[in-house]
Amino acid sequence: QKVTVEVLDHLERLALVDFRDSEGVERLQKAIQFADQLHEVNTDGVEPMDSVLEDRCLYLREDDVTEGNCTKELLKNAREKVEEYFVAPPGNIPLPKLEERETFLQGS
Amino acid sequence: LAPWVPVVGLEIHAQISSNSKLFSGSQVQFAAPPNSLVSFFDASLPGTLPVLNRRCVEAAVMTGLALNCSINKKSLFDRKHYFYADLPAGYQITQQRVPIAVNGRLSYSLCIDNKMSQMVTKTVRIKQIQLEQDSGKSLHDDTRSQTLVDLNRAGVGLMEVVMEPDMCCGEEAAAAVRELQLILQTLGSSQAVMAEGKLRVDANVSVHHPGEPYGVRTEVKNINSIRFLAKAVDYEIQRQIEELENGGTILNETRAFDSKLGCTVPMRDKEGKQDYRFMPEPNLPPLILYDAKSLPANMNHQQVVNIDWIHERLPDLPSVKRAKLVEQYGILPEHSFTLLNEDGLTEFFENVVKQTQMKPKKVIGWILNDLLSYLKQHSLTVKESPVSPFLLADLLNLLEKKEISSTAAKQVLAELWKGEGKAPLEIVKEKELELIQDQKELEQICQAVIDGQENEVIMMVLG
């Protein structure tokens, strides 16, 4: 079962990854096949493990103020700032629609 | 025309009242210099990890117990992914699969036909309560086509309370939220003030014909007060009914309430169905809570949240407080609602009762009719009242001892509102409002009146 162009487009929008060319898509294809091997294991009646940390103790912190007050340091990496605010574009800039994308699957 | 059944559910986000954030040690405070209450973790700098704040867990357990929920002794954290400038990590840590509390209920009361004297009790089921992070704040600068981002709020602890679609109109939604607000404020788990963004409500609204499946629902956001909540819900119900009766369809969309125009409009940036790609939060083990039975013997108690310990220390909830007021003072249930509804009014009432011989059943009339209506007329809170409990008690004592009439008492009260610092007795003397107690004096006055009205007296005697 091949990964369709629609699925790739959907993934690119959700995760902002760029599969770039057919080699990238092929790598994705192989990764899915590798993971699909999990289906060969019979898991009837077995509770799923959702974290390797499941036997660890979740540490609880006291409600004290111990951090913050480092505005200058945080803004040091910002490309643009306005009076101690980070600056971002007015909204999410959507990726162009599938039909309009020239660079989609370059060199495929 | 077949009748329509409106269906209303609510998603409420209450900011947890704590000193520091849910997963970091930066301070929680409203209105501070931008980006001054932000740690490296809140800014999502690489290499930082979440560390859970015990106070936030306790707040959620308290709230779950107060809402009659089952507390999950094991709950899990997940990541909810979406891109937005005020969510630096690109995901929010929440509890999607197994939240901390489930299956509760909230009872609230409504007046039938706007008459205070007829109250009916309703219940709404609480689907769940989950712990999650708040996002930062975006300030949209349309003139320069940019957004300014302040992360002070990013990472503050939230309790999301999900109410099942058991409500049918704006009034029910508003009453349910008001009761939740009172409960949260009583517990201290959240200050729950909508104006400061400490309580945010989104409404899910749909309509259908009786016996048919539920209709497509819309989500309504940007509701900034309980009054607007009722308006927004009722508007959306009407809009959907009109749309469907005109042969249109309802889109499963998110709409914003415009308080100026009193209507809902589609929201931008919310096109298409969101795919949040939920996954377990890999950096946090499950959250384990204990009770008296399951408490391990040798564990550091700072690391333990004991559900039973918290349960034993829950304060009287609003419904219990109201019942106690009715029992203790012999006032009506609807009176107890009004007392709890106004911040500080119960204390005011109880202070007056303590300082006067007048029966509480009579005092309540002065509190609810005279004091409260005056405060409302002048947009004052109880704390800002120019008449103190002491002054009012003083006045009511004069009335109780029959030194003045009820009418005179109202006149004195009108003077007291001026806040000139005069004692009630002073005003009574100034305005000569004392009731005449002397029998002889009264006879003299009556006789003088009769003497001066000879003709009328003759006509009365003749019948």
Side-chain angles (χ1 to χ4, degrees):
Chain A
Q1 223 180 20
K2 282 222 115 197
V3 175
T4 64
V5 171
E6 283 76 27
V7 168
L8 283 178
D9 183 56
H10 185 58
L11 285 173
E12 291 204 338
R13 276 168 207 288
L14 284 182
L16 292 184
V17 295
D18 187 345
F19 290 103
R20 207 156 288 267
D21 56 20
S22 61
E23 205 189 306
V25 177
E26 191 52 36
R27 213 173 303 128
L28 174 66
Q29 204 66 79
K30 290 219 169 87
I32 296 171
Q33 274 173 276
F34 180 77
D36 275 345
Q37 292 177 99
L38 290 171
H39 290 310
E40 294 176 30
V41 182
N42 186 349
T43 56
D44 290 341
V46 180
E47 267 302 303
M49 170 198 268
D50 42 48
S51 168
V52 294
L53 301 170
E54 66 179 15
D55 291 329
R56 300 283 205 99
C57 203
L58 175 51
Y59 178 78
L60 296 172
R61 181 173 56 83
E62 280 298 319
D63 186 25
D64 297 320
V65 176
T66 56
E67 301 177 280
N69 253 311
C70 49
T71 319
K72 261 212 183 107
E73 275 192 88
L74 291 174
L75 290 172
K76 253 199 312 197
N77 286 340
R79 193 173 57 140
E80 264 189 80
K81 42 183 169 265
V82 168
E83 280 177 38
E84 301 183 323
Y85 287 93
F86 293 99
V87 178
N92 283 353
I93 300 168
L95 288 176
K97 289 208 173 66
L98 185 52
E99 310 85 70
E100 295 155 15
R101 293 184 60 198
E102 295 163 9
T103 56
F104 194 68
L105 297 185
Q106 268 173 343
S108 64
Chain B
L1 278 171
W4 289 102
V5 179
V7 174
V8 180
L10 299 174
E11 277 162 34
I12 298 154
H13 291 89
Q15 226 181 56
I16 297 174
S17 181
S18 62
N19 300 325
S20 57
K21 296 184 180 178
L22 182 59
F23 292 118
S24 70
S26 33
Q27 191 180 4
V28 175
Q29 191 181 282
F30 188 68
N35 292 305
S36 61
L37 308 177
V38 184
S39 68
F40 289 179
F41 171 78
D42 305 327
S44 188
L45 298 187
T48 55
L49 292 171
V51 186
L52 183 56
N53 179 341
R54 197 180 84 236
R55 156 68 189 165
C56 294
V57 178
E58 290 169 349
V61 172
M62 264 198 282
T63 306
L65 291 170
L67 295 177
N68 300 290
C69 294
S70 304
I71 306 295
N72 282 328
K73 292 226 191 74
K74 177 174 164 189
S75 63
L76 306 170
F77 289 100
D78 303 294
R79 288 185 184 180
K80 176 179 180 181
H81 299 81
Y82 63 94
F83 290 114
Y84 209 63
D86 59 26
L87 194 71
Y91 61 85
Q92 175 200 36
I93 300 179
T94 177
Q95 295 188 299
Q96 191 250 357
R97 289 166 297 150
V98 187
I100 192 166
V102 290
N103 295 336
R105 68 188 176 279
L106 168 69
S107 292
Y108 61 95
S109 290
L110 282 179
C111 318
I112 307 178
D113 295 334
N114 272 319
K115 288 187 211 142
M116 268 314 265
S117 51
Q118 286 193 69
M119 303 202 84
V120 63
T121 306
K122 299 216 170 218
T123 314
V124 57
R125 289 167 300 158
I126 305 291
K127 177 159 190 260
Q128 64 191 56
I129 300 174
Q130 64 208 51
L131 280 167
E132 57 183 39
Q133 292 174 303
D134 207 344
S135 65
K137 263 219 191 114
S138 298
L139 297 166
H140 299 290
D141 182 359
D142 292 323
T143 48
R144 283 183 205 78
S145 203
Q146 62 188 14
T147 296
L148 303 180
V149 177
D150 172 14
L151 297 178
N152 283 348
R153 202 184 63 182
V156 171
L158 294 176
M159 294 177 287
E160 179 173 337
V161 179
V162 182
M163 289 187 181
E164 299 277 24
D166 296 340
M167 294 158 285
C168 71
C169 62
E171 200 192 352
E172 288 191 358
V177 171
R178 179 68 186 125
E179 188 67 5
L180 175 66
Q181 196 178 40
L182 286 173
I183 291 173
L184 293 172
Q185 288 167 352
T186 303
L187 293 173
S189 57
S190 170
Q191 285 166 40
V193 177
M194 276 184 89
E196 283 176 17
K198 292 194 164 75
L199 189 73
R200 279 134 37 201
V201 181
D202 299 331
N204 294 312
V205 179
S206 73
V207 297
H208 65 277
H209 289 304
E212 287 179 16
Y214 280 15
V216 174
R217 70 164 194 263
T218 60
E219 186 188 20
V220 182
K221 284 175 147 352
N222 195 41
I223 298 166
N224 297 325
S225 75
I226 294 187
R227 233 184 76 238
F228 285 150
L229 170 61
K231 279 201 169 145
V233 166
D234 288 335
Y235 173 86
E236 182 58 17
I237 290 171
Q238 267 317 112
R239 185 193 75 84
Q240 290 193 12
I241 290 174
E242 276 166 27
E243 183 68 35
L244 292 169
E245 284 184 346
N246 288 332
T249 52
I250 305 300
L251 296 170
N252 175 215
E253 59 176 348
T254 301
R255 298 176 72 90
F257 179 64
D258 184 323
S259 50
K260 287 201 198 101
L261 300 173
C263 65
T264 63
V265 293
M267 267 178 95
R268 55 162 195 158
D269 261 355
K270 296 258 173 185
E271 324 104 19
K273 203 138 196 289
Q274 285 278 33
D275 180 346
Y276 294 114
R277 294 178 301 143
F278 286 98
M279 68 177 248
E281 169 52 62
N283 294 322
L284 292 170
L287 172 60
I288 310 291
L289 304 174
Y290 300 94
D291 56 23
K293 276 199 210 129
S294 64
L295 199 53
N298 52 358
M299 205 159 153
N300 174 7
H301 73 95
Q302 196 262 341
Q303 288 301 311
V304 167
V305 173
N306 183 340
I307 301 167
D308 290 336
W309 191 89
I310 293 174
H311 205 221
E312 282 157 27
R313 282 155 186 77
L314 286 179
D316 277 349
L317 293 182
S319 50
V320 173
K321 280 192 194 170
R322 287 185 203 114
K324 282 190 176 172
L325 286 170
V326 169
E327 218 226 284
Q328 189 177 356
Y329 297 113
I331 59 177
L332 297 173
E334 48 265 30
H335 296 160
S336 68
F337 268 92
T338 314
L339 281 181
L340 255 72
N341 225 25
E342 295 301 324
D343 196 23
L345 194 58
T346 307
E347 289 85 342
F348 195 105
F349 167 67
E350 293 192 299
N351 278 332
V352 173
V353 165
K354 264 186 230 159
Q355 298 175 75
T356 179
Q357 298 96 41
M358 182 182 278
K359 286 214 168 81
K361 264 199 257 213
K362 280 179 80 179
V363 174
I364 194 76
W366 288 91
I367 297 285
L368 297 182
N369 300 332
D370 299 86
L371 177 82
L372 193 59
S373 55
Y374 177 85
L375 291 175
K376 290 288 173 203
Q377 262 171 45
H378 295 83
S379 298
L380 295 171
T381 64
V382 174
K383 292 190 169 72
E384 294 164 340
S385 169
V387 176
S388 66
F390 174 75
L391 278 181
L392 183 57
D394 205 10
L395 174 60
L396 295 181
N397 281 339
L398 290 177
L399 182 55
E400 196 62 7
K401 284 188 276 186
K402 295 200 175 27
E403 285 181 38
I404 55 174
S405 70
S406 173
T407 326
K410 287 199 198 279
Q411 279 179 267
V412 175
L413 192 53
E415 271 299 308
L416 285 174
W417 288 133
K418 294 184 186 164
E420 286 164 5
K422 291 194 198 142
L425 197 55
E426 254 186 272
I427 299 171
V428 165
K429 292 221 154 78
E430 256 178 47
K431 291 185 176 275
E432 293 180 1
L433 294 169
E434 305 95 316
L435 276 178
I436 301 167
Q437 308 276 18
D438 190 322
Q439 184 76 9
K440 272 222 175 98
E441 209 186 330
L442 283 168
E443 276 181 18
Q444 276 176 355
I445 293 172
C446 291
Q447 193 62 54
V449 170
I450 292 171
D451 290 345
Q453 308 281 341
E454 261 189 50
N455 289 335
E456 283 81 352
V457 172
I458 290 167
M459 291 189 70
M460 276 191 77
V461 168
L462 289 177

